[in-house]
Structure formats: C-alpha cells, structure tokens
Amino acid sequence: MARSATTPKVELRGVRKQFGRKVVLDGIDLTLDAGQSLVVIGGSGTGKSVMIKCVLGILRPDSGRIFVDGQEVTHLHGRAREAVLKKFGMLFQGSALFDSLPVWENVAFGLIQGHGVPRRKARDIAIEKLAKVGLGPDVAMLSPAELSGGMQKRVGLARAIAADPQIIFFDEPTTGLDPIMADVINGLIVSTVKDLGVSTLSITHDMASARKISSRIAMLYKGKIIWDGPTADIDNSGNPYVDQFIHGRAEGPIKMEVRR
Amino acid sequence: MNILRAIGHVVLVFFRATGSLAVFAADAVSACVRPPIYWLLIVRQMMRIGYFSLPVVGLTAFFTGGVLALQIFIGSSRYGAETFVPQIVVLGITRELGPVIAGLMVAGRVAAAIAAEIGTMRVTEQIDALTTLSTNPVKYLVVPRLLAAVISMPILVAIADSIGVLGGYVVATESLNFNGTVYLRNTANFVTNQDVTSGLIKAAVFGFIIALMGCYHGFNSRGGAQGVGTATTNAVVSASILILAANYILTSVIFPH
Ligand SMILES: Nc1ncnc2c1ncn2[C@@H]1O[C@H](COP(=O)(O)OP(=O)(O)OP(=O)(O)O)[C@@H](O)[C@H]1O
Ligand SMILES: [Mg+2]
C-alpha cells in the first residue's frame, strides 16, 4: 500500500462492538494523524477504553476496519499482531502492572521481551524513564504492590514510553494524581510528542489536561464520535453535548441514568 | 418440553466448554515447541510446582503406604496370606496410589495457585498488558507452567513411591512383626520396571492436567475477586476429576487384561 505523508497513523472506519445485546461502539470513525495528539472525551461507560482495546487487538470489533500506518490490522493475530504492537505504547486505566515483577522490570519488560535489549541496559533505560515521571531509583526495586495508586500510574506511564513507541495510548493518564503531578505528566506527554514526534491518543475526563495535551479533541457519545475538531475550537463547538460535557453541567441533552 | 430444553442446554454448554478447552490445549501445546521458550520461568515454576510440593506429597505418601500395609495385613490374614504384604504394598503404591495421591495433592495446591494467579492477572488487565508489550501470554504464562508440571510430577511421584514403600515398611516392621531385610528383599524382587514406569507416565499426564486446568480457568476468569474465586474452585475440581478419569483410562491401556 502506498504510504504518503497523509497516511494516518491510526484509522478506524465504522467500528462496531457490542457485548451481548449492549451496543458499546456503534460505528466509530476516527483518525489519528502522525505527530498529532488527540484526546477523546466522553462520559463514563461510553466505550472509550473499549475503543482503544479494539485498536490494540485485545478486543475484536464485530464489524468495521482498523488501519495502522495504512495497513489493515483488524483481523491480525500471532506474529503479525506482535509486529504491529511494537509500534504502540499503552497506559492502562488501572495501570495493569505485573505484580510478580519489581518496578524496574515492569518498565523494562517491553525492551527485554519485545526488543531483545540486554537486561542490564534495559534496567538503565527503565531508571531513566522512571526519572521522567518523577520516580527515583529507590522506587525501581520495589514491587508494584508497595506503591500508591498515583505512583503505579506513573510507573505505567514509564512502561508505556519505555520502548520509544511511535504511537502511545494513554487511558486516563492523570486520574488519581495530585494537581501538580498531573501537570508534570501533562508536560511529559506534550514533550514526548514534540521531541520524539510520536502520535498520542489520550482518554481523559480532566478538561484542563485535555486542553493542555491535545491538538485535537473528539467526543464519544452513544457509540459514535459526535464532535471532532481542533482543541482551540472546543469552546465554540456549537454542539450542546460538548458544551455540557466540558462545563460539567448536570442539566443538558446528556441525561445521566440515575434514579432519584 | 422444558426437560428437553434443559437437557439440550446442558449438552450445548458441555460441548462449548469442551471445545474451548480443546482449542486452549492445542494452542498451549503448539506454543511449547515454538520459540521463544522462557527457560528461567520454567525453572522457577518447577520450584513452585515440584519442590514446594515435596512436604505435603511426602507426608501423604508415607501415611498411605502405612495404612495400605495395615489393611492388606488385616485382609490377607483371613486367608493366612500375610507374607504378601510387601508385594502388594509396592504394587499398589507404584501403579496407583503414588501417582493418584500425589496428583490429587498437587491439584489442590498447584492448580488452585495457578488459577488464582492467572485469574488475577486476567481481571487486572495484566494479560492484556503482556499482549501490548508484544509478548504472547500463552508462551509467557502457560507454557512454563505446563512444562514445569509435566517434568516435576514424575520426579515427585518417584519420591512419593519410595516414601510410600517406606511407610509400609515402617508399619510392617514396627507393629506387624515383619523382618526388615525380608520385607525389603521381597519388595525389590517383586516390583517390575513396568510397575514404576506406568506410574511415572501417569504422573506426567496428571501434571499436564493440573497445569492445563489451572491456566485454562485462570485465563477465562471474569469479573473481579469473585470470578477469580470461582476459577480457582473450578480448576481444583476439574483437575481432580480429570486425574481420576485419566487414571482409569491409563490403567486399562497400560495393563490390558
Ligand atoms: N469485557 C467486557 N465484557 C462486557 N462488557 C464490557 C466489557 N468491557 C467493557 N464493557 C462494557 O462496555 C461499556 C464501555 O466500557 P469502557 O470501559 O470502554 O468505558 P469507558 O468509556 O472507558 O468508561 P470510563 O471513563 O469509566 O473508563 C461499559 O458499559 C462496560 O460495561
Ligand atoms: Mg475507561
């Protein structure tokens, strides 16, 4: 397939996913261009995490197609899938650290297993990446269970960026961090995009973080992308759903299904 | 009508479960022969599965050998055939009780531990994280446990056999008035290679069953702590039942009458 400068890094076309009779993704169309940092916003349970899991092949979409660098990856598995995944870094919403391994080995895991870097060298890289997320070398020897939730998140971040991937997915990178550390992480995401030219797709509820790290914002609602535009336009989207979401209002077109 | 539907449902569920287990097993076995193989992990799992099971397997084998000698003595004395105690003890231990008792004990210990560990990794998305780090979870998690169990179980059973015979010896000489030298000579003269190897083959199969059940139920666990608990129970129960069923099949294949 011809690769031009305009080939998006990741493209979703009409991706649908349902669990049982519950439709979670109802035809998602979304592109992530090279060097872009896209933030996807949307209410809790709208399927943001499911969407990125479909791209990574952790979940299989029921229909629709997914492309990475112009290559269709929807039905890849085995070696071919592993090769595609080498381009990705992923921060899981719940960190998903390996609790049987010390912190440094968590961070170095992709380097050692996926890229065949010798352990000693991988360890030095891990300690360097940990420093980037504000964790000292003393943390490297601890087990993940000995860390606070926010520290685990930062280790997850260090793991996501450790192998210098081209595309990074951050599932709620600043949730559970104090405001100052959240800003440090925002800065880190911005600088990784700038320095390394990576493309990022982040999911967040934190509008301050979204504004800071993104060049584009897309909003997911009821299984579809209902708005997609430059971050600068988010305040003048003219979309009542977006307005309600970014201002955090209980009144508006989005109805929370709670009983009073 | 409702009864038919219920039966149909049960049959469908059964075949779906068997099918997915077969696919999982085939996947795991084929991963055993394709690189990469994680040698360090295999050694670590052998420690966990084999070495740390020694005390519990050794103790159960000792008491089993002892009680076997006692019962055979009581039973055979009705025919005045007491002298056959050493022969029957060693036959029973090497052919059946050694592998089965060790298999059941290890199923309780190890299948549960494997299911709990892998199940927790499943519900906390650690298995998904492995995938995103370009590591095949079957190769990284399942293969080392399978190989370690298949290698450790025969070693464990060989030790259990010796301890079981020792248990019989202790009971026979201490409370049944057997002469120690004669007891041992009768044991050694009677036991054949086939008795021992049949038990070791069974042990390897049981090791496979134990690790497979632990991994399969762990991999398929759903929904938090409760799901992991269910997976653990199912792993132990299914491993135990399969061990007993496989034992019958193996006995009838190895010793056709
Ligand atoms: N493996 C699964 N099996 C069944 N249902 C699932 C599964 N994963 C997700 N869901 C359902 O899909 C819906 C979307 O989940 P998802 O985790 O993507 O939400 P989200 O947008 O990331 O929410 P949050 O912002 O709270 O993280 C939820 O209703 C959830 O119940
Ligand atoms: Mg989520």
Side-chain angles (χ1 to χ4, degrees), chain A residues 43-50 52-53 92-94 171-172 203 205, chain B residues 125:
Chain A
S44 191
T46 47
K48 305 181 296 295
S49 299
V50 168
I52 52 179
K53 284 181 188 169
F92 283 85
Q93 190 166 1
D171 199 344
E172 313 214 351
I203 291 170
H205 296 292
Chain B
E125 299 185 323

Side-chain angles (χ1 to χ4, degrees), chain A residues 104 108 111-112 117-128:
Chain A
W104 77 264
L111 293 167
I112 298 172
V117 176
R119 286 176 73 84
R120 190 170 284 263
K121 181 150 178 260
R123 188 180 160 147
D124 293 341
I125 299 175
I127 288 178
E128 177 196 317

Side-chain angles (χ1 to χ4, degrees), chain A:
Chain A
M1 183 164 289
R3 285 194 195 180
S4 65
T6 55
T7 308
K9 293 304 277 184
V10 178
E11 184 177 1
L12 290 87
R13 283 193 211 151
V15 171
R16 281 181 52 89
K17 177 76 191 169
Q18 61 187 73
F19 294 104
R21 294 170 66 187
K22 178 172 180 180
V23 178
V24 176
L25 303 180
D26 190 13
I28 298 272
D29 295 301
L30 192 66
T31 55
L32 173 66
D33 291 322
Q36 192 172 56
S37 41
L38 171 67
V39 162
V40 175
I41 58 175
S44 191
T46 47
K48 305 181 296 295
S49 299
V50 168
M51 181 182 78
I52 52 179
K53 284 181 188 169
C54 284
V55 175
L56 294 168
I58 295 170
L59 294 171
R60 304 255 152 194
D62 300 323
S63 62
R65 305 171 73 187
I66 297 167
F67 299 84
V68 173
D69 280 331
Q71 178 200 2
E72 174 149 19
V73 301
T74 326
H75 301 291
L76 288 187
H77 49 258
R79 287 277 160 81
R81 170 67 72 183
E82 279 173 29
V84 171
L85 284 171
K86 288 210 172 113
K87 297 179 183 177
F88 285 89
M90 165 78 187
L91 166 68
F92 283 85
Q93 190 166 1
S95 300
L97 301 180
F98 306 128
D99 41 31
S100 58
L101 299 175
V103 164
W104 77 264
E105 223 175 317
N106 265 280
V107 177
F109 195 93
L111 293 167
I112 298 172
Q113 306 295 348
H115 298 260
V117 176
R119 286 176 73 84
R120 190 170 284 263
K121 181 150 178 260
R123 188 180 160 147
D124 293 341
I125 299 175
I127 288 178
E128 177 196 317
K129 300 287 175 185
L130 283 169
K132 284 202 173 174
V133 296
L135 295 172
D138 47 322
V139 175
M141 290 316 295
L142 298 179
S143 109
E146 296 172 274
L147 305 182
S148 76
M151 288 163 93
Q152 290 179 357
K153 190 122 239 177
R154 286 187 273 159
V155 175
L157 258 160
R159 184 172 72 181
I161 60 174
D164 294 328
Q166 307 166 23
I167 308 162
I168 316 181
F169 290 171
F170 297 110
D171 199 344
E172 313 214 351
T174 55
T175 312
L177 302 181
D178 65 82
I180 300 170
M181 189 43 76
D183 204 50
V184 171
I185 297 303
N186 289 335
L188 175 77
I189 294 175
V190 171
S191 66
T192 11
V193 174
K194 259 210 202 104
D195 303 348
L196 306 170
V198 304
S199 320
T200 63
L201 190 163
S202 314
I203 291 170
T204 184
H205 296 292
D206 173 357
M207 282 314 297
S209 166
R211 285 170 199 273
K212 183 148 186 200
I213 64 179
S214 66
S215 53
R216 220 178 96 212
I217 295 183
M219 177 154 170
L220 183 61
Y221 180 69
K222 291 220 164 142
K224 292 198 166 71
I225 300 291
I226 55 157
W227 188 82
D228 183 351
T231 306
D233 295 354
I234 187 85
D235 291 309
N236 311 308
S237 64
N239 184 314
Y241 294 89
V242 176
D243 275 343
Q244 186 193 349
F245 190 86
I246 64 175
H247 294 113
R249 287 193 286 255
E251 284 79 34
I254 306 174
K255 299 277 182 275
M256 286 291 154
E257 282 157 10
V258 286
R259 277 192 208 128
R260 289 171 205 262

Side-chain angles (χ1 to χ4, degrees), chain B:
Chain B
M1 252 352 254
N2 267 336
I3 296 175
L4 276 183
R5 185 181 298 164
I7 294 173
H9 181 73
V10 169
V11 170
L12 278 181
V13 166
F14 175 78
F15 279 112
R16 193 178 309 144
T18 327
S20 78
L21 174 61
V23 169
F24 185 84
D27 203 20
V29 170
S30 76
C32 286
V33 293
R34 280 178 292 130
I37 303 284
Y38 298 96
W39 296 106
L40 187 71
L41 295 182
I42 297 177
V43 174
R44 203 178 292 161
Q45 290 302 327
M46 283 181 70
M47 289 294 286
R48 286 183 53 191
I49 296 172
Y51 185 71
F52 292 123
S53 297
L54 265 178
V56 50
V57 168
L59 275 175
T60 39
F62 185 85
F63 289 118
T64 307
V67 82
L68 196 60
L70 205 55
Q71 286 288 17
I72 293 168
F73 181 82
I74 295 168
S76 57
S77 64
R78 291 184 197 162
Y79 304 95
E82 298 91 334
T83 48
F84 290 115
V85 168
Q87 287 90 329
I88 299 177
V89 166
V90 73
L91 197 77
I93 290 284
T94 54
R95 284 188 175 193
E96 298 292 339
L97 290 172
V100 170
I101 297 274
L104 293 178
M105 293 315 284
V106 176
R109 251 194 102 244
V110 173
I114 293 177
E117 187 182 12
I118 295 186
T120 306
M121 292 186 74
R122 163 63 76 201
V123 301
T124 57
E125 299 185 323
Q126 292 179 52
I127 293 183
D128 295 338
L130 277 177
T131 311
T132 64
L133 293 165
S134 298
T135 303
N136 181 338
V138 172
K139 281 188 192 150
Y140 189 78
L141 296 173
V142 179
V143 169
R145 286 167 174 79
L146 268 185
L147 291 180
V150 169
I151 299 168
S152 324
M153 271 302 284
I155 303 175
L156 212 50
V157 165
I159 297 170
D161 285 351
S162 322
I163 296 179
V165 168
L166 176 74
Y169 169 86
V170 169
V171 168
T173 51
E174 293 301 315
S175 65
L176 305 177
N177 290 324
F178 273 79
N179 175 300
T181 336
V182 175
Y183 187 99
L184 287 183
R185 191 181 335 116
N186 283 346
T187 300
N189 288 345
F190 184 76
V191 70
T192 64
N193 264 339
Q194 197 203 15
D195 296 332
V196 178
T197 42
S198 71
L200 300 187
I201 291 169
K202 284 180 175 181
V205 174
F206 297 167
F208 181 81
I209 291 174
I210 290 165
L212 184 71
M213 286 300 120
C215 293
Y216 174 76
H217 289 286
F219 251 77
N220 289 301
S221 61
R222 291 280 175 276
Q226 200 181 358
V228 175
T230 313
T232 309
T233 313
N234 289 344
V236 176
V237 171
S238 59
S240 306
I241 293 173
L242 282 178
I243 283 175
L244 294 172
N247 182 53
Y248 179 80
I249 296 169
L250 285 170
T251 297
S252 52
V253 169
I254 300 174
F255 304 105
H257 34 260

